[in-house]
Amino acid sequence: MTIDIQLNPAQREAVEHPRGPVLVLAGAGSGKTRVLTARLAHLIRAHRIAPNKIMAVTFTNRAAEEMRRRVAELLGGEPAGLWIGTFHSLFARLLRREGHLLGFTPDFTIYDEDDRLEVVKRLLERHGYNPKSYPPRLIASLISSAKNRLLSPSDLESRQDDPMAKVAGEIYRALNQALASANAMDFDDLLLHPLTLFERHPERLAHYQRRFASILVDEFQDTNRAQYLLVRQLAAAQRDIFVVGDDDQSIYSWRGAEVRNMLEFQQDFPDATLVRLEQNYRSTPRILAVANEVISGNRARLGKTLFTTRPGGEKVAVVAAADERDEAEWVARELRERSASDGYAFSEMAVLYRTNAQSRAFEEAFRRAGIPHRVVGTVSFYQRREVRDVIAYLRLIVNPADDEAFLRAIQVPRRGIGLASLGALQAAAQKWKRPLLEAAAIADRIGDLRPLAKEAFMKFAAMIERFRQKARTAAPAVLIEELLGELDYESYLAEEGPDGIERIENIRELVAGAAEWAEAEHDPEDPASLLQRFLTTAALATSEENVGGDPEGVTLLTVHSAKGLEWPIVVVAGLEDGLFPLSRAMETEEGAEEERRLCYVAITRARDRLYLTWARSRRRGGQLLPGRPSRFLEALPAQEIEERRTGGIFGGEWTRRPLAAAWVVSGESLPEEHSQDAPRYVKGERVRHRHFGSGTILGLSGYGRQLKVVVEFDDESVGVKQLLVAHAGLQRDWDGA
């Protein structure tokens, strides 16, 4: 008995294949969920396998619920007893039953990452390690990575050439003991303990091998080593395993995913049938041509070529912008025009980027343009933890009576001030009826405080006072840069490992945003300081953002967050070497191939219209740096793309040299080096600003990063402005000279 569902020949081959190992190579938009659910229903109806003898593994709870719903629709009722869910949920279920064999009771606790981090902190302290030298979050990350790769504490401890790994191994061993004593497991243990169970108690493995007559795995390319070994062991006896995945969409190596699991599947199951799903039901032929060409640059892949029966479609637009603000404003105008002329709803559009820090420019451009939008996979830019930390300092500098800002700032970075010391300070401030900052300045009068805590409070208060004096004249961007240097804040964030790198980018983006804001701020009647006005702007931007933003608006998200989603109109922004692909990823062949897969994922999110944008310059780390088009753009088939530029680019058309695949502007190559300190302007010189237009330099002051120019712009409504050269993005106005 077959399932009543419409399938193409390749899909039907997969669904109705005789029982046995099957690897379904499912390209983007090829209907893999339809195939997986139809196969599951086919096993129950045609092969008469009881639902409680089937294990179906997904990577998200939402995917599990969707699969359960679709199977119920196909069968006309809920398949009772079906083991369907994520790896973690299914093996937690198994451990509730079998954990007593490993010393756990059925009511064991599952620790999340924050719980584990607190245990790691206590263990480091107990073992006498300085948290500054051995950051708890980094140690916890090393332990998690080791667990994902099935490394033992001894494996880490034996690495004599790596002191950090050696300490991580010691804490790893202590963590296992602490979790066992607490009758607890962390997320990684939910996969490791079943492997230990099956190794120590092979009769239990044999039981579950008999129990599960058929195993299905979704998103197989995202499995880590432990996950693959689990399903391989469970399927070893009956050998009825059906895995669906796309090696070209394996983008989670940083979470332990190993794309080689797909390549090894055929070695471990040499009689496995490979079915390729290459017909795409999502994108236009031109979008698929671009995607196929980009991914063809990877060597470690099983190989497939997407095709579609959809007709035509518009060419893929490759858009060159002056900088990130120009890029965002051009995108805002283009999406508004598409909405007005073609009838697309804003909810049918998405902007994808490589790092979360890039969302700020788009959030602000869309807000200025009145375009509804929402940020997915993260909070609004000004709500991000590291941004809020810095904003807390700025609030306290502006308003010493802001006790909430004090409580946040005093603890980041840590100064050896604990909750007890804070409690003593709060009690004294309440008794004296003074703000916390004032109390901190005279902390030596608080008898209950340790000498080190008194000193830390007083140093903090003195630092805030110094910056209060600086804030009277310094531009917000300069003040923030000096504050970050004083706090050594980037080093503090770097201790967090991979997550810290992205947080550093967000902080640098805050500096860039403050510089942009100052350029446009010109209200001479406002009595508030520049810093105070900047904070008001930031606060209003935060309050206007609902949680998640407007569900009817344009979706803003990273490429990682976009996997599995699709929209009629997609913009992939920031396609510059060093950003997409990330420079650090290009240091290894594996990293380069994953970046290319990320690009492939981004491109294949689009159904009808695709824009690929890049900027000639971009603010990174508080500096305006030159940008080169991503090497991924070099692979694009010329007949499928149209080159466009924004109105913010001056000095000629952007063209592509067909032989070298390099990009130039009117014969002027992008500079190899860019020094913000070099004297580049003189009094009387004509310059052009991307927003204010042309003008004449009246004077210069300062030097290095604080070099400023006073420009009288031709537009009388703009007038005279003082600009920081490091952030202004000025160009020589050859036409107006």
Side-chain angles (χ1 to χ4, degrees):
M1 184 183 301
T2 59
I3 297 298
D4 184 19
I5 184 172
Q6 195 161 7
L7 301 168
N8 67 35
Q11 291 173 334
R12 187 163 299 279
E13 178 189 357
V15 169
E16 298 181 359
H17 193 277
R19 294 181 61 192
V22 179
L23 170 59
V24 180
L25 193 59
S30 63
K32 75 173 180 64
T33 304
R34 169 185 289 257
V35 167
L36 200 58
T37 53
R39 173 68 175 184
L40 203 162
H42 182 74
L43 290 171
I44 296 172
R45 179 170 292 178
H47 292 280
R48 307 269 180 202
I49 300 177
N52 66 349
K53 290 185 175 294
I54 299 175
M55 175 184 279
V57 191
T58 65
F59 267 80
T60 66
N61 291 317
R62 185 172 60 182
E65 289 306 310
E66 174 67 10
M67 189 183 301
R68 190 188 300 274
R69 182 187 65 79
R70 290 198 187 190
V71 171
E73 289 178 356
L74 290 174
L75 296 176
E78 182 78 21
L82 181 67
W83 278 54
I84 184 170
T86 65
F87 273 101
H88 292 91
S89 67
L90 290 178
F91 286 99
R93 180 177 173 182
L94 184 148
L95 286 168
R96 297 288 182 197
R97 302 182 181 190
E98 308 290 344
H100 65 280
L101 296 172
L102 299 176
F104 296 93
T105 67
D107 59 347
F108 63 81
T109 299
I110 299 175
Y111 280 11
D112 63 17
E113 291 184 11
D114 288 339
D115 296 326
R116 179 172 61 187
L117 180 61
E118 289 304 313
V119 178
V120 168
K121 288 177 182 177
R122 288 195 294 272
L123 291 174
L124 283 166
E125 183 178 353
R126 188 180 306 163
H127 285 245
Y129 291 111
N130 187 329
K132 290 186 177 180
S133 302
Y134 300 96
R137 195 176 296 274
L138 179 57
I139 296 296
S141 176
L142 290 172
I143 293 171
S144 179
S145 177
K147 288 186 175 186
N148 284 329
R149 291 179 291 145
L150 304 182
L151 299 179
S152 68
S154 297
D155 292 327
L156 291 184
E157 288 175 312
S158 65
R159 290 167 58 177
Q160 301 296 330
D161 60 331
D162 189 342
M164 196 70 70
K166 196 171 184 297
V167 171
E170 181 182 343
I171 301 303
Y172 181 0
R173 188 182 302 280
L175 175 64
N176 286 345
Q177 296 169 352
L179 289 170
S181 298
N183 191 37
M185 303 179 191
D186 62 22
F187 284 149
D188 299 322
D189 290 334
L190 295 177
L191 303 178
L192 291 183
H193 286 327
L195 289 171
T196 303
L197 172 74
F198 294 155
E199 181 182 3
R200 294 181 184 175
H201 301 276
E203 76 281 1
R204 301 317 298 159
L205 173 59
H207 167 78
Y208 285 103
Q209 287 174 335
R210 292 190 300 271
R211 166 66 186 271
F212 296 117
S214 188
I215 296 174
L216 301 90
V217 185
D218 190 16
E219 303 286 6
F220 188 61
Q221 77 280 349
D222 293 333
T223 53
N224 63 29
R225 201 64 190 157
Q227 291 163 337
Y228 178 51
L229 289 180
L230 283 170
V231 296
R232 189 181 73 180
Q233 288 184 8
L234 290 174
Q238 303 201 45
R239 300 181 62 77
D240 189 19
I241 179 169
F242 187 92
V243 301
V244 180
D246 183 1
D247 56 334
D248 290 335
Q249 295 189 70
S250 180
I251 58 174
Y252 295 115
S253 65
W254 50 277
R255 286 197 322 212
E258 298 190 15
V259 68
R260 68 187 176 106
N261 291 341
M262 291 198 74
L263 305 176
E264 289 186 11
F265 182 84
Q266 291 174 298
Q267 299 173 13
D268 294 329
F269 297 93
D271 56 333
T273 298
L274 175 64
V275 180
R276 286 181 169 85
L277 303 184
E278 298 176 296
Q279 183 170 353
N280 176 283
Y281 292 91
R282 176 186 301 159
S283 307
T284 66
R286 283 184 159 137
I287 292 172
L288 294 184
V290 167
N292 287 331
E293 196 64 36
V294 166
I295 200 61
S296 67
N298 276 5
R299 292 188 293 178
R301 58 191 296 257
L302 294 169
K304 65 182 177 308
T305 302
L306 298 181
F307 70 92
T308 182
T309 59
R310 285 188 62 180
E314 297 183 50
K315 288 186 176 183
V316 173
V318 177
V319 185
D323 56 21
E324 73 275 11
R325 181 166 180 170
D326 182 42
E327 175 186 50
E329 291 180 345
W330 185 90
V331 168
R333 290 192 301 271
E334 179 71 11
L335 295 187
R336 179 180 290 284
E337 184 177 330
R338 282 284 168 173
S339 176
S341 62
D342 299 342
Y344 286 105
F346 286 122
S347 59
E348 295 180 295
M349 307 173 183
V351 178
L352 315 184
Y353 32 78
R354 181 63 181 85
T355 66
N356 277 316
Q358 292 168 256
S359 75
R360 180 194 60 81
F362 289 100
E363 289 181 68
E364 295 183 354
F366 285 11
R367 189 177 295 115
R368 286 192 295 268
I371 295 177
H373 58 282
R374 62 186 184 126
V375 182
V376 172
T378 183
V379 293
S380 179
F381 180 82
Y382 290 107
Q383 287 288 349
R384 291 168 188 158
R385 188 199 80 199
E386 61 278 9
V387 175
R388 287 171 60 86
D389 288 343
V390 177
I391 291 292
Y393 276 94
L394 301 181
R395 283 169 47 190
L396 193 58
I397 289 168
V398 166
N399 178 14
D402 191 337
D403 283 352
E404 288 299 318
F406 177 94
L407 288 172
R408 187 176 189 107
I410 193 68
Q411 299 182 77
V412 181
R414 295 194 179 279
R415 297 175 168 82
I417 297 173
L419 294 178
S421 297
L422 270 176
L425 180 75
Q426 288 174 295
Q430 187 174 9
K431 177 182 176 181
W432 294 338
K433 293 183 170 47
R434 294 188 179 189
L436 290 173
L437 185 63
E438 284 189 30
I442 53 174
D444 56 342
R445 304 181 192 177
I446 304 174
D448 296 334
L449 283 177
R450 295 178 294 108
L452 288 177
K454 291 179 181 180
E455 182 181 2
F457 279 130
M458 294 174 71
K459 280 186 175 180
F460 177 82
M463 180 191 69
I464 296 298
E465 180 57 29
R466 288 200 308 275
F467 277 93
R468 277 181 56 76
Q469 299 301 321
K470 292 181 180 181
R472 295 176 180 174
T473 56
V478 172
L479 189 77
I480 295 172
E481 285 190 316
E482 291 186 12
L483 177 65
L484 294 174
E486 174 91 12
L487 300 175
D488 197 16
Y489 193 62
E490 291 194 3
S491 296
Y492 164 74
L493 292 177
E495 294 175 355
E496 300 185 13
D499 288 346
I501 295 173
E502 185 152 311
R503 294 190 189 281
I504 289 172
E505 287 293 323
N506 289 336
I507 289 301
R508 293 173 178 175
E509 190 71 6
L510 177 64
V511 176
E516 285 186 4
W517 173 87
E519 290 179 4
E521 178 66 15
H522 51 281
D523 186 0
E525 297 182 2
D526 193 329
S529 68
L530 273 178
L531 180 59
Q532 193 168 15
R533 278 182 273 170
F534 172 68
L535 288 173
T536 300
T537 300
L540 291 175
T542 301
S543 64
E544 289 170 0
E545 286 289 341
N546 298 323
V547 176
D550 190 334
E552 298 303 315
V554 178
T555 304
L556 307 178
L557 72 173
T558 65
V559 180
H560 279 103
S561 299
K563 187 169 174 291
L565 304 175
E566 61 181 76
W567 298 267
I569 296 179
V570 169
V571 178
V572 184
L575 276 159
E576 297 127 41
D577 262 6
L579 181 58
F580 197 177
L582 287 177
S583 54
R584 65 177 181 272
M586 303 306 290
E587 294 173 359
T588 65
E589 184 175 352
E590 292 80 7
E593 294 218 340
E594 180 146 334
E595 289 291 302
R596 195 172 283 109
R597 292 194 293 269
L598 261 177
C599 188
Y600 172 82
V601 167
I603 290 169
T604 53
R605 300 310 93 199
R607 294 210 299 259
D608 302 337
R609 184 67 165 135
L610 175 65
Y611 299 88
L612 307 175
T613 69
W614 68 282
R616 180 181 182 182
S617 58
R618 188 176 297 271
R619 287 180 174 82
R620 303 190 71 186
Q623 298 185 53
L624 191 67
L625 300 176
R628 286 186 177 278
S630 169
R631 65 196 65 190
F632 299 148
L633 295 178
E634 298 176 5
L636 304 185
Q639 68 274 17
E640 307 295 353
I641 67 171
E642 60 170 335
E643 297 171 28
R644 300 172 64 177
R645 66 167 190 163
T646 69
I649 290 181
F650 309 105
E653 296 287 339
W654 290 82
T655 58
R656 184 183 184 188
R657 287 201 300 249
L659 294 179
W663 299 67
V664 297
V665 54
S666 293
E668 176 193 350
S669 298
L670 288 176
E672 293 292 339
E673 298 179 355
H674 186 83
S675 171
Q676 296 289 356
D677 296 337
R680 298 178 297 159
Y681 299 106
V682 296
K683 185 176 180 180
E685 185 175 6
R686 294 283 295 174
V687 293
R688 188 172 180 87
H689 187 277
R690 62 190 179 285
H691 299 297
F692 305 143
S694 298
T696 302
I697 294 179
L698 300 181
L700 299 93
S701 63
Y703 59 90
R705 294 296 313 283
Q706 298 191 41
L707 176 65
K708 300 174 184 177
V709 290
V710 177
V711 182
E712 181 179 20
F713 288 97
D714 299 344
D715 187 338
E716 294 182 359
S717 65
V718 176
V720 177
K721 284 190 174 294
Q722 180 173 273
L723 305 173
L724 274 170
V725 172
H727 302 288
L730 294 173
Q731 297 178 347
R732 287 185 173 84
D733 185 9
W734 302 111
D735 295 335

